[in-house]
Amino acid sequence: MILILLGPPGAGKGTQAKELAARRGLVQLSTGDMLRAAVAAGTAVGLKARPIMEKGLLVPDEIVIGILAERIEQPDCRNGVILDGFPRTLAQASALDDVLTNKKLKLDAVIELKVDDEVLVERISGRFSCAECGAGYHDAFKPTKVKDVCDACQATKFIRRKDDAPETVRARLLVYYRETSPLIGYYYCKGNLHVVSGMGPIGEVAAAIESIVEGAKA
Ligand code: AP5
């Protein structure tokens, strides 16, 4: 099964992709996570991506397409993947079409998460994650059960993303509307698009996504 979660920064793509991957035995492929790992490791890709990501801009298509195409070939992706943060441009969408065609795979559903702009900024400004296992939290909406202790791995060190500073969030939002939102029309015309309100609580959004995935499977 191949799914795409589409939506602006802070819409809940990563949160939902993680839950859905765990429920369905799929692999979450987040190009943002892959690029952050490359930055942390100081690879050639990471060195190139770092200043671009810090400004909230898009990493060049050829880099991201290369990373994704290589990752989707790995054996753990055979059961299916959830693409989180990819594609983000029409060129990336077209490259994905080619990858799937070559592998004789079909795109099952594109799920657009719709969230009001002011809520996005609020969500991103309160976001933090476990420095050990990457579990995601929010100061107000998803705090750890025990203060400063990760629910998943009990680590006590947390991180906040550099590109979550309010001025960078606005730059990322602008990039989303300019570069990524045309994909909504692209997938609507291909007949793959499903729209979900991402405004409700995390569990409610997950239930709406689940019913789309169940329908796509049938
Ligand atoms: P990336 O890591 O993909 O970031 P993004 O798309 O900006 O998305 P976010 O991770 O900010 O948000 P999300 O939708 O996953 O929300 P989350 O679930 O965390 O990309 C980062 C950068 O990498 C890009 O700017 C670019 O430079 C580069 N990049 C990545 N992919 C690229 C590509 N394909 N091409 C080119 N460049 C690329 O939720 C946010 C917060 O809200 C969390 O705290 C969460 O707990 C909370 N929350 C979630 N859902 C709810 C809810 N329903 N109610 C209340 N709170 C909620």
Side-chain angles (χ1 to χ4, degrees):
M1 170 162 265
I2 313 283
L3 302 167
I4 293 176
L5 288 185
L6 187 63
K13 303 181 297 295
T15 302
Q16 295 298 334
K18 279 194 182 64
E19 293 203 1
L20 187 56
R23 280 197 307 272
R24 295 255 166 194
L26 302 172
V27 173
Q28 174 197 12
L29 295 187
S30 158
T31 40
D33 287 348
M34 292 177 211
L35 289 166
R36 279 184 289 279
V39 169
T43 64
V45 163
L47 291 174
K48 199 160 184 185
R50 183 180 190 147
I52 300 172
M53 293 173 76
E54 285 179 356
K55 288 192 200 104
L57 303 176
L58 292 185
V59 173
D61 286 334
E62 62 274 17
I63 293 183
V64 186
I65 291 166
I67 293 177
L68 195 279
E70 195 182 312
R71 180 66 184 88
I72 210 168
E73 287 295 333
Q74 302 303 311
D76 64 330
C77 293
R78 272 192 213 126
N79 274 348
V81 298
I82 305 164
L83 298 170
D84 160 14
F86 183 95
R88 252 173 154 104
T89 62
L90 287 167
Q92 291 179 19
S94 169
L96 177 64
D97 289 346
D98 293 345
V99 169
L100 296 182
T101 304
N102 287 340
K103 287 173 69 68
K104 296 189 174 46
L105 291 170
K106 88 170 172 50
L107 179 59
D108 294 280
V110 177
I111 302 171
E112 181 201 355
L113 288 177
K114 266 184 126 59
V115 176
D116 295 348
D117 292 340
E118 60 276 20
V119 175
L120 296 172
V121 177
E122 190 188 1
R123 282 189 188 174
I124 291 180
S125 59
R127 169 168 60 188
F128 62 100
S129 62
C130 173
E132 290 296 325
C133 73
Y137 299 98
H138 189 279
D139 293 324
F141 307 131
K142 196 186 169 195
T144 54
K145 288 184 184 126
V146 176
K147 195 172 170 355
D148 299 333
V149 179
C150 176
D151 297 352
C153 75
Q154 280 71 54
T156 53
K157 209 167 156 229
F158 296 90
I159 43 174
R160 290 183 191 257
R161 275 166 51 178
K162 260 195 178 165
D163 63 346
D164 280 354
E167 58 286 3
T168 316
V169 172
R170 284 176 201 283
R172 285 162 58 198
L173 206 47
L174 187 61
V175 167
Y176 175 77
Y177 286 119
R178 202 174 49 215
E179 310 273 352
T180 308
S181 64
L183 297 184
I184 296 166
Y186 181 80
Y187 287 117
Y188 172 79
C189 292
K190 281 172 142 306
N192 294 122
L193 188 72
H194 302 262
V195 183
V196 166
S197 168
M199 293 289 288
I202 292 171
E204 211 171 88
V205 179
I209 291 176
E210 192 57 38
S211 71
I212 291 167
V213 174
E214 198 52 41
K217 208 182 69 175

